[in-house]
Amino acid sequence: MKLSDLSPLMARREDGGLSYDRFRADPALASLQWPDDVLEQFLFDHGDNAAFVYDYGSIDLREVTWRLETIPTADFSGMPTGASDAGCIENFADNPVHWVRVRPPEVGRHWEEHGTWLRPPILIDRRLLDPSESGLQVLEGRTRVGVLRGRLREGLHVAAHHQAWVGHL
């Protein structure tokens, strides 16, 4: 199953007639058995985004297994995102205070108190991509990773490790 196979489901969601609860219960997604957080951030929020379809359209979604993992801060320093959004992480990193300020207040409090994001981003093992490469890539959470990089650069509080959903083959 590829992102393009979900076009009818995405069209129903886009028309406003499909809440997240109804979306995740759709029989087309039953074989995935993905965590709700991944299903919502990846497929519900971005499954029909042209850039996502371009960057991740070759992945067989049934082959991806998701785990919540703890990733060292250093691993995020050069982690790329999809080719269609190249450079966007650094754009967010240029002004991390702004990108936290435009979010709900609890996001900023979480950064200040814990030095990390409130909601784990979605990363993918680059061996799932075409062409296959090594390492991890930011699939969703480009703003969060940009804020992390910017806070590091500005000497603001950043934890040594961060949770992220990681998709593996």
Side-chain angles (χ1 to χ4, degrees), residues 65 72 85 105 134 150:
T65 301
D85 280 330
S134 63

Side-chain angles (χ1 to χ4, degrees), residues 29-106:
L29 302 175
S31 66
L32 293 182
Q33 298 182 8
W34 287 8
D36 272 347
D37 207 18
V38 174
L39 193 66
E40 183 176 10
Q41 289 186 71
F42 182 8
L43 297 183
F44 185 73
D45 292 346
H46 298 289
D48 60 348
N49 176 305
F52 268 55
V53 173
Y54 175 81
D55 291 338
Y56 307 108
S58 65
I59 296 173
D60 184 341
L61 304 175
R62 293 171 299 200
E63 293 183 0
V64 183
T65 301
W66 298 95
R67 289 191 312 250
L68 188 59
E69 298 182 11
T70 301
I71 312 288
T73 297
D75 289 5
F76 289 97
S77 67
M79 193 180 294
T81 191
S84 61
D85 280 330
C88 78
I89 292 174
E90 281 310 311
N91 286 336
F92 294 124
D94 286 342
N95 196 347
V97 173
H98 165 76
W99 292 108
V100 169
R101 192 179 311 126
V102 298
R103 300 292 188 257
E106 60 268 18

Side-chain angles (χ1 to χ4, degrees), residues 51-52 54-56 59 66 75-76 78-86 89 121-142 145 149 164-167:
F52 268 55
Y54 175 81
D55 291 338
Y56 307 108
I59 296 173
W66 298 95
D75 289 5
F76 289 97
M79 193 180 294
T81 191
S84 61
D85 280 330
I89 292 174
I122 312 295
L123 312 179
I124 195 156
D125 185 327
R126 298 182 81 203
R127 290 179 291 182
L128 284 161
L129 304 176
D130 185 22
S132 177
E133 297 185 40
S134 63
L136 297 175
Q137 179 166 309
V138 180
L139 191 150
E140 171 49 14
R142 297 168 304 275
V145 173
R149 289 182 190 174
W165 287 104
V166 181

